Amino acid sequence: MAAAMPLALFVLQLLGPGGWCLAEPQRDSLREELVITPLPSGDVAATFQFRTRWDSELQREGDTDHYFLRYAVLPREVVCTENLTPWKKLLPCSSKAGLSVLLKADRLFHTSYHSQAVHIRPVCRNARCTSISWELRQTLSVVFDAFITGQGKKDWSLFRMFSRTLTEPCPLASESRVYVDITNYNQDNETLEVNPPPTTTYQDVILGTRKTYAIYDLLDTATINNSRNLNIQLKWKRPAENEFPPVPFLHAQRYVSGYGLQKGELSTLLYNTHPYRAFPVLLLDTVPWYLRLYVHTLTITSKGKDNKPSYIHYQPAQDRLQPHLLEMLIQLPANSVTKVSIQFERALLKWTEYTPDPNHGFYVSPSVLSALVPSMVAAKPVDWEESPLFNSLFPVSDGSNYFVRLYTEPLLVNLPTPDFSMPYNVICLTCTVVAVCYGSFYNLLTRTFHIEEPRTGGLAKRLANLIRRIRGVPLL
Amino acid sequence: MGLLSDPVRRRALARLVLRLNAPLWALPVAWLERTMRSVGLEVYTQSFSRKLPFPDETHERYMVSGTNVYGILRAPRAASTESLVLTVPCGSDSTNSQAVGLLLALAAHFRGQIYWAKDIIFLVTEYDLLGTEAWLEAYHDVNVTGMQSSPLQGRAGAIQAAVALELSSDMVTSLDVAVEGLNGQLPNLDLLNLFQTFCQKGGLLCTLQGKLQPQDWTSLDGPLQGLQMLLLMVLRQASGRPHGSHGLFLRYRVEALTLRGINSFRQYKYDLVAVGKALEGMFRKLNHLLERLHQSFFLYLLPALSRFVSIGLYMPAAGFLLLVLGLKALELWMQLHEAGVGLEEPRGSPGPSAQGVGLASLVAPLLISQAMGLALYVLPVLGQHVAAQHFPVAEAEAVVLTLLAIYAAGLALPHNTHRVVSTQAPDRGWMALKLVALIYLALQLGCIALTNFSLGFLLAATMVPTAALAKPHGSRTLYAALLVLTSPAATLFGSLFLWRELQEAPLSLAEGWQLFLAALAQGVLEHHTYGALLFPLLSLGLYPCWLLFWNVLFWK
């Protein structure tokens, strides 16, 4: 894993009607699948997906109002067992049957990468979208590390990975399948062996590369009945050459530069490793308000030259209300590194605003990169020879790009932090006591006191005073 | 003074060695990369090059270009926001290869564990501190010292702590720990305590300043040993040099220390397993840290590994020393005031004219002494080639000799400054000058003592008494001798002798002189290569200030 970065993204997607999900959906259906991808390094990636749909009487009117779209990140959160348990409870079969029996916490958290997500969205039931279903999609991806969990061995089986095997499909599931990536597996150069041998295969272009998958359908009785359970095994016939895994066309790195507690610089490096194609990238940054960005210092350089973004949207932060929002469309030249940097000043917080462990630092959420990346398939000249001649008339086909959304690593920034230790507390306490005492003393010393005489005497006294005034005698 | 007695041959040899700069021993970069990768780390390299301001004769370096190799162990399921560093600086020979071996073994062991919450960077640097400086600057994407280096391909978030390892043999008798960093910065005391805990746990013998710990604190012997170690630490901290590659990490607020394996003539020896265990323990403890080490023990002096003198105890000493300057200044101020009043009343002349003369007479000595300081800072490095062309010396010697020449010339120059202005009241002139000088000195020493206590205290203890006494009356020769003896250069010279005396390796006068010259060259070099502040502090701040007192002494 070049950048093992588990991000717990609990995404609430609210897509408007008239999108690409107009097909008549099955009602109250569950589909579950597990994709196992052996990586050349010996690690194995496993991705679970569970999709549940149910009808709803909830009516939707009009389009989604984009004014209500929100984006929020919690960069500090680390996924752990307490995230997995409620997530599993959302599954119709819980963890009793089907693929979900493999979800054993102690194995899933023994991995080098873990990512867990929940997507929920409305799906139209007819063309005019008068009634909708709700779709709940739960995904879980883990990467098993050959060094840690495999004890250095590169052969894998379901039992080895999850310490369970598959015995039965979930009775509620309309589809329950296991896909194994066997792209490297072919007859003449046997590098990878899968056991039991697959009955059907499936080919597709995934993330710009052509992939072949072996399919094991749990609803197909033959799959399980032979041996009462299904334990898929992967064997590397020949140790894979110690070659470097292919570098993706787009990858990114983010860091804080500078030292000291006054200033700093946020730098994002965007790598385009494609040999000849440039492509644009949409970069979205949200930076907390306590890093005061100097927008005039925003510099974008690629290959030593200034790179002018074709679109910039900047929304300045307001203290304690909203973060900075910076969105840019940047063209990445072919085979280049683009550096986006912006300087900031670290703000001094009020003393109640520090988190309970302020010396750990404050997190800055990852930048989000969205791009249409040229696919590996289109980059291979070999395919041109095999494909029909008319293909070259329209060189850019639909499959020449694929959409990628990348999250860079979150950052940890130290702010100027007071020493919240005993002397600091003593100073705070003393100051409070002095302030309170001083206030009351000052009040006492500067106030002038008047003795207000009680109003006594009624009519008799007034009369007496009237007489006395006439007589010229001092009043009572 | 040089390496060879004949200047021509010496120059030829120095040119040959330094210009060709033949790599006698190079880091096996490809092998290291392969090995680290096979262990399961993410491996990157970084190349750097640096032309030193003048040839470094102690390390035989001039134009340096090397490669750092580092491997990152990514913590499982973490987001690479924090990291720890284990670094092994490799010098110009293979003295540190055992440490590289231990680093690789630790990397292989750490890779198999799943409890890491922070990434761990295993860093092997070439040209020891130069490589470390290049790597740190590239990691934090800053350029402090004019190092040219390739940008880093892989990073692992904010570095929380670092341990530098130096082992010259595969059996050690004791582990020596160095804490003093660049400009006298110290790592948090908790890191040292952590090391000491694991030393005790593993039964390792730990030393500080290369000396065994005093055992018996009840008799007189223990405290005396403690005092010896305290003085050694004060001298090392005052030098402002990074005593090990950990010293460079401290600038970036990364708590770090250097562990040195010592192999001496002792019966009981430890193999590398014991050292590795201690290191593993330290890394696991650091891995568990939620916050950076931040509790307020950044300022301390160590009489022993398990004892420290805190800032609250030692700072008053420096404070009282500086109070002398303050009181003396106050006295002068009152005398000046009285003299001014006394002058004004009988003559009836307006005050401002007398005041104006007093101030005008100060401008010339102040400017001249500051100019001398500037010359001392700039000229040696700037004029090294001219000096090397006209005199039979190599560049490094030229720098040191120019430095000494300018320093000595400064003693002669300010004598004549008072002739620039004609003063009617000579007493007022020197008093005003001394008043300014006293305040200037007190301010400088106060600032230095706050950042690097040892340096501040050492300079205060030597300079304050004579500075307070200096006046153009009485026996001038005695005062002059005292003033020369307490000048910054003389303090450096004396410290070298004290240092070797405490290390129980006394110097002869000739050796001391050689060491003094080497120290001057190193001081200038370290300012240019690592950004050490001792040289500019002395040349731009304290030397001009000291010249002012010299000026006061010879006021006519």
Side-chain angles (χ1 to χ4, degrees):
Chain A
M1 291 306 298
M5 195 197 55
L7 270 176
L9 282 179
F10 294 94
V11 180
L12 182 69
Q13 278 188 338
L14 284 167
L15 289 180
W20 36 269
C21 46
L22 272 178
E24 181 71 25
Q26 283 174 294
R27 309 176 77 182
D28 293 338
S29 69
L30 168 71
R31 284 177 67 182
E32 53 178 18
E33 67 180 45
L34 163 64
V35 182
I36 297 175
T37 317
L39 306 172
S41 59
D43 304 344
V44 171
T47 305
F48 291 89
Q49 279 213 48
F50 301 92
R51 199 195 71 185
T52 321
R53 273 188 183 164
W54 68 95
D55 291 354
S56 160
E57 296 312 310
L58 200 71
Q59 294 299 312
R60 288 174 48 85
E61 292 123 22
D63 270 343
T64 308
D65 194 343
H66 286 265
Y67 187 72
F68 292 115
L69 282 180
R70 290 289 182 270
Y71 167 71
V73 189
L74 202 59
R76 187 166 196 171
E77 186 75 12
V78 176
V79 188
C80 70
T81 323
E82 67 181 6
N83 302 104
L84 183 68
T85 313
W87 185 89
K88 272 201 293 195
K89 282 183 183 162
L90 292 174
L91 297 172
C93 285
S94 189
S95 52
K96 300 284 187 292
L99 295 178
S100 48
V101 291
L102 301 179
L103 300 172
K104 234 186 134 191
D106 63 332
R107 300 303 299 170
L108 291 182
F109 290 104
H110 214 269
T111 51
S112 61
Y113 177 87
H114 186 110
S115 156
Q116 202 178 318
V118 175
H119 309 259
I120 185 161
R121 61 170 189 172
V123 180
C124 289
R125 255 188 284 167
N126 52 23
R128 289 175 53 219
C129 208
T130 49
S131 56
I132 54 161
S133 303
W134 285 92
E135 181 187 279
L136 172 71
R137 192 201 298 255
Q138 291 170 265
T139 62
L140 175 78
S141 307
V142 286
V143 175
F144 289 92
D145 190 345
F147 271 91
I148 295 176
T149 29
Q151 285 99 40
K153 289 181 188 167
K154 292 184 173 178
D155 298 341
W156 288 96
S157 66
L158 280 186
F159 187 76
R160 239 183 120 130
M161 286 193 273
F162 302 102
S163 73
R164 293 280 172 89
T165 52
L166 292 170
T167 49
E168 52 176 347
C170 175
L172 298 172
S174 61
E175 191 185 301
S176 181
R177 284 179 177 171
V178 178
Y179 293 83
V180 180
D181 183 358
I182 50 164
T183 313
N184 292 331
Y185 166 74
N186 44 23
Q187 274 70 34
D188 56 324
N189 176 21
E190 280 200 355
T191 51
L192 187 71
E193 192 187 297
V194 189
N195 197 17
T199 48
T200 47
T201 57
Y202 171 75
Q203 280 202 352
D204 201 0
V205 178
I206 306 291
L207 285 184
T209 44
R210 206 175 292 285
K211 298 265 189 185
T212 315
Y213 291 97
I215 305 179
Y216 300 90
D217 195 345
L218 295 192
L219 293 178
D220 182 8
T221 47
T223 315
I224 285 181
N225 274 6
N226 289 344
S227 57
R228 283 284 168 214
N229 65 7
L230 176 65
N231 183 19
I232 301 168
Q233 290 174 324
L234 293 163
K235 269 187 191 151
W236 290 92
K237 282 279 191 175
R238 171 196 309 178
E241 293 89 53
N242 204 1
E243 60 180 21
F244 302 112
V247 182
F249 284 146
L250 172 67
H251 58 114
Q253 192 190 9
R254 197 163 187 235
Y255 57 89
V256 185
S257 41
Y259 60 92
L261 286 177
Q262 195 201 351
K263 282 185 177 181
E265 194 174 38
L266 289 176
S267 307
T268 314
L269 295 180
L270 310 173
Y271 294 86
N272 176 6
T273 57
H274 199 284
Y276 53 85
R277 270 187 69 177
F279 55 85
V281 162
L282 191 66
L283 178 76
L284 173 74
D285 255 335
T286 48
V287 181
W289 65 266
Y290 39 79
L291 303 188
R292 302 189 193 283
L293 294 184
Y294 293 145
V295 187
H296 71 282
T297 61
L298 174 71
T299 48
I300 306 166
T301 48
S302 35
K303 290 186 169 174
K305 283 183 209 152
D306 252 12
N307 188 341
K308 210 165 179 297
S310 41
Y311 161 78
I312 291 189
H313 169 68
Y314 175 66
Q315 193 179 343
Q318 288 173 24
D319 281 6
R320 297 169 183 89
L321 288 179
Q322 70 174 29
H324 302 267
L325 180 77
L326 184 60
E327 201 175 11
M328 287 178 286
L329 190 67
I330 304 168
Q331 183 80 10
L332 303 186
N335 202 6
S336 69
V337 185
T338 305
K339 183 175 175 186
V340 182
S341 63
I342 186 165
Q343 290 178 12
F344 64 85
E345 193 182 78
R346 300 162 202 241
L348 196 62
L349 300 186
K350 291 179 183 169
W351 71 284
T352 46
E353 285 170 347
Y354 286 95
T355 48
D357 38 9
N359 281 292
H360 178 65
F362 289 75
Y363 283 89
V364 178
S365 58
S367 324
V368 187
L369 301 171
S370 316
L372 281 174
V373 178
S375 66
M376 201 78 90
V377 179
K380 271 185 192 162
V382 188
D383 291 350
W384 291 90
E385 291 301 315
E386 292 168 3
S387 55
L389 285 176
F390 65 79
N391 251 8
S392 56
L393 280 180
F394 317 104
V396 179
S397 62
D398 227 15
S400 69
N401 285 319
Y402 62 96
F403 179 75
V404 162
R405 179 165 290 147
L406 279 187
Y407 295 85
T408 63
E409 53 266 70
L411 299 176
L412 195 57
V413 179
N414 274 87
L415 294 185
T417 312
D419 176 18
F420 288 108
S421 59
M422 198 271 284
Y424 176 78
N425 292 336
V426 170
I427 291 169
C428 282
L429 190 71
T430 323
C431 288
T432 314
V433 170
V434 167
V436 168
C437 291
Y438 175 78
S440 50
F441 265 105
Y442 184 75
N443 195 354
L444 275 177
L445 290 172
T446 55
R447 181 171 287 179
T448 49
F449 293 93
H450 298 280
I451 300 170
E452 196 173 321
E453 288 188 11
R455 275 193 175 193
T456 50
L459 195 63
K461 195 176 174 184
R462 271 190 219 169
L463 274 178
N465 276 344
L466 198 69
I467 296 164
R468 277 174 170 250
R469 194 170 288 157
I470 294 165
R471 284 172 57 202
V473 181
L475 304 179
L476 277 175
Chain B
M1 56 161 279
L3 303 163
L4 297 161
S5 52
D6 181 16
V8 181
R9 271 195 306 184
R10 187 172 60 213
R11 248 170 88 184
L13 183 71
R15 291 258 161 84
L16 192 71
V17 169
L18 299 168
R19 287 282 150 76
L20 289 178
N21 197 27
L24 305 171
W25 182 86
L27 200 67
V29 174
W31 179 83
L32 262 177
E33 266 189 277
R34 218 170 38 243
T35 318
M36 280 190 179
R37 197 165 280 126
S38 73
V39 161
L41 303 183
E42 241 181 87
V43 189
Y44 302 96
T45 56
Q46 181 217 8
S47 55
F48 63 93
S49 66
R50 175 84 165 96
K51 187 180 168 218
L52 301 184
F54 57 89
D56 181 356
E57 288 195 336
T58 353
H59 296 104
E60 293 174 358
R61 289 172 185 172
Y62 185 36
M63 281 188 276
V64 165
S65 68
T67 312
N68 297 327
V69 184
Y70 65 104
I72 304 178
L73 160 55
R74 298 281 179 197
R77 300 180 310 283
S80 286
T81 50
E82 298 166 278
S83 55
L84 306 172
V85 174
L86 176 63
T87 173
V88 170
C90 287
S92 50
D93 45 7
S94 55
T95 48
N96 217 1
S97 24
Q98 273 80 7
V100 177
L102 183 59
L103 172 127
L104 290 174
L106 279 176
H109 174 65
F110 286 0
R111 183 65 177 84
Q113 313 305 320
I114 59 154
Y115 43 68
W116 299 114
K118 297 176 170 62
D119 290 6
I120 301 176
I121 302 176
F122 296 92
L123 169 67
V124 180
T125 59
E126 204 173 355
Y127 291 104
D128 41 49
L129 297 196
L130 280 174
T132 315
E133 178 69 30
W135 188 82
L136 278 169
E137 283 186 14
Y139 193 92
H140 293 93
D141 202 6
V142 287
N143 199 338
V144 188
T145 61
M147 183 82 70
Q148 283 153 353
S149 62
S150 59
L152 294 193
Q153 298 290 313
R155 282 187 173 77
I159 303 173
Q160 305 288 308
V163 177
L165 189 64
E166 292 177 19
L167 292 175
S168 49
S169 61
D170 50 3
M171 300 292 275
V172 296
T173 50
S174 60
L175 273 182
D176 188 51
V177 57
V179 286
E180 300 88 357
L182 187 69
N183 296 327
Q185 275 186 293
L186 297 172
N188 196 301
L189 192 60
D190 286 337
L191 191 65
L192 189 73
N193 291 340
L194 185 66
F195 166 70
Q196 204 224 339
T197 314
F198 278 99
C199 269
Q200 283 180 346
K201 211 172 178 179
L204 280 167
L205 192 64
C206 295
T207 58
L208 186 69
Q209 320 287 358
K211 289 188 175 297
L212 287 176
Q213 299 307 298
Q215 299 295 326
D216 184 18
W217 286 92
T218 49
S219 71
L220 194 62
D221 213 25
L224 271 181
Q225 277 184 332
L227 184 68
Q228 206 179 357
M229 283 178 41
L230 190 77
L231 276 176
L232 273 171
M233 173 160 180
V234 165
L235 288 177
R236 271 170 77 156
Q237 198 188 0
S239 74
R241 306 181 58 183
H243 288 269
S245 66
H246 75 281
L248 302 173
F249 281 85
L250 297 171
R251 174 191 285 154
Y252 303 93
R253 212 192 154 199
V254 176
E255 307 310 323
L257 43 78
T258 294
L259 305 183
R260 283 198 184 90
I262 308 283
N263 193 7
S264 64
F265 305 105
R266 279 182 169 274
Q267 300 232 313
Y268 195 81
K269 302 204 180 210
Y270 306 94
D271 57 356
L272 292 189
V273 175
V275 182
K277 272 182 185 168
L279 278 172
E280 190 204 356
M282 284 181 73
F283 270 89
R284 285 190 70 171
K285 282 275 181 193
L286 291 171
N287 177 49
H288 291 159
L289 278 184
L290 177 61
E291 298 182 74
R292 264 168 207 270
L293 293 171
H294 65 277
Q295 294 297 347
S296 41
F297 300 111
F298 287 98
L299 305 160
Y300 52 87
L301 293 174
L302 293 170
L305 256 180
S306 51
R307 287 169 187 248
F308 72 98
V309 183
S310 90
I311 180 169
L313 285 172
Y314 65 63
M315 212 57 195
F320 282 125
L321 270 174
L322 297 185
L323 194 65
V324 173
L325 297 178
L327 289 178
K328 193 73 192 169
L330 198 66
E331 186 205 344
L332 279 173
W333 173 257
M334 289 168 77
Q335 278 181 0
L336 268 177
H337 192 70
E338 278 167 16
V341 171
L343 275 177
E344 266 174 48
E345 277 182 355
R347 286 188 193 171
S349 61
S353 71
Q355 204 83 43
V357 171
L359 285 181
S361 67
L362 296 188
V363 174
L366 275 175
L367 274 184
I368 290 177
S369 53
Q370 278 299 332
M372 281 309 290
L374 196 66
L376 189 64
Y377 178 66
V378 176
L379 282 186
V381 176
L382 208 64
Q384 51 172 321
H385 298 298
V386 181
Q389 272 170 9
H390 290 87
F391 299 98
V393 285
E395 272 93 344
E397 290 170 345
V399 169
V400 174
L401 292 179
T402 321
L403 209 61
L404 285 176
I406 296 176
Y407 195 91
L411 300 187
L413 260 182
H415 287 229
N416 304 320
T417 49
H418 63 278
R419 286 181 197 156
V420 181
V421 280
S422 59
T423 47
Q424 287 113 10
D427 255 8
R428 285 175 58 86
W430 75 260
M431 278 178 169
L433 182 60
K434 194 177 169 186
L435 176 66
V436 170
L438 281 175
I439 295 171
Y440 189 30
L441 182 66
L443 276 178
Q444 284 191 43
L445 289 179
C447 292
I448 295 172
L450 281 179
T451 51
N452 183 352
F453 169 77
S454 299
L455 181 63
F457 184 78
L458 207 64
L459 288 171
T462 49
M463 288 182 83
V464 164
T466 39
L469 285 177
K471 59 180 176 185
H473 306 300
S475 62
R476 282 191 183 180
T477 41
L478 179 68
Y479 282 143
L482 268 179
L483 211 53
V484 168
L485 278 181
T486 56
S487 79
T491 309
L492 174 62
F493 195 57
S495 310
L496 286 173
F497 277 91
L498 179 61
W499 157 253
R500 292 296 289 263
E501 193 64 44
L502 288 169
Q503 281 207 322
E504 289 153 19
L507 281 173
S508 68
L509 204 62
E511 281 174 335
W513 178 248
Q514 287 291 338
L515 205 62
F516 175 66
L517 295 179
L520 285 181
Q522 284 298 309
V524 179
L525 261 182
E526 269 161 19
H527 169 59
H528 287 282
T529 47
Y530 310 127
L533 288 175
L534 186 67
F535 174 56
L537 259 181
L538 290 186
S539 60
L540 293 175
L542 283 161
Y543 174 67
C545 189
W546 181 84
L547 278 183
L548 289 181
F549 287 107
W550 187 255
N551 209 350
V552 167
L553 191 63
F554 291 99
W555 192 276
K556 281 172 191 158

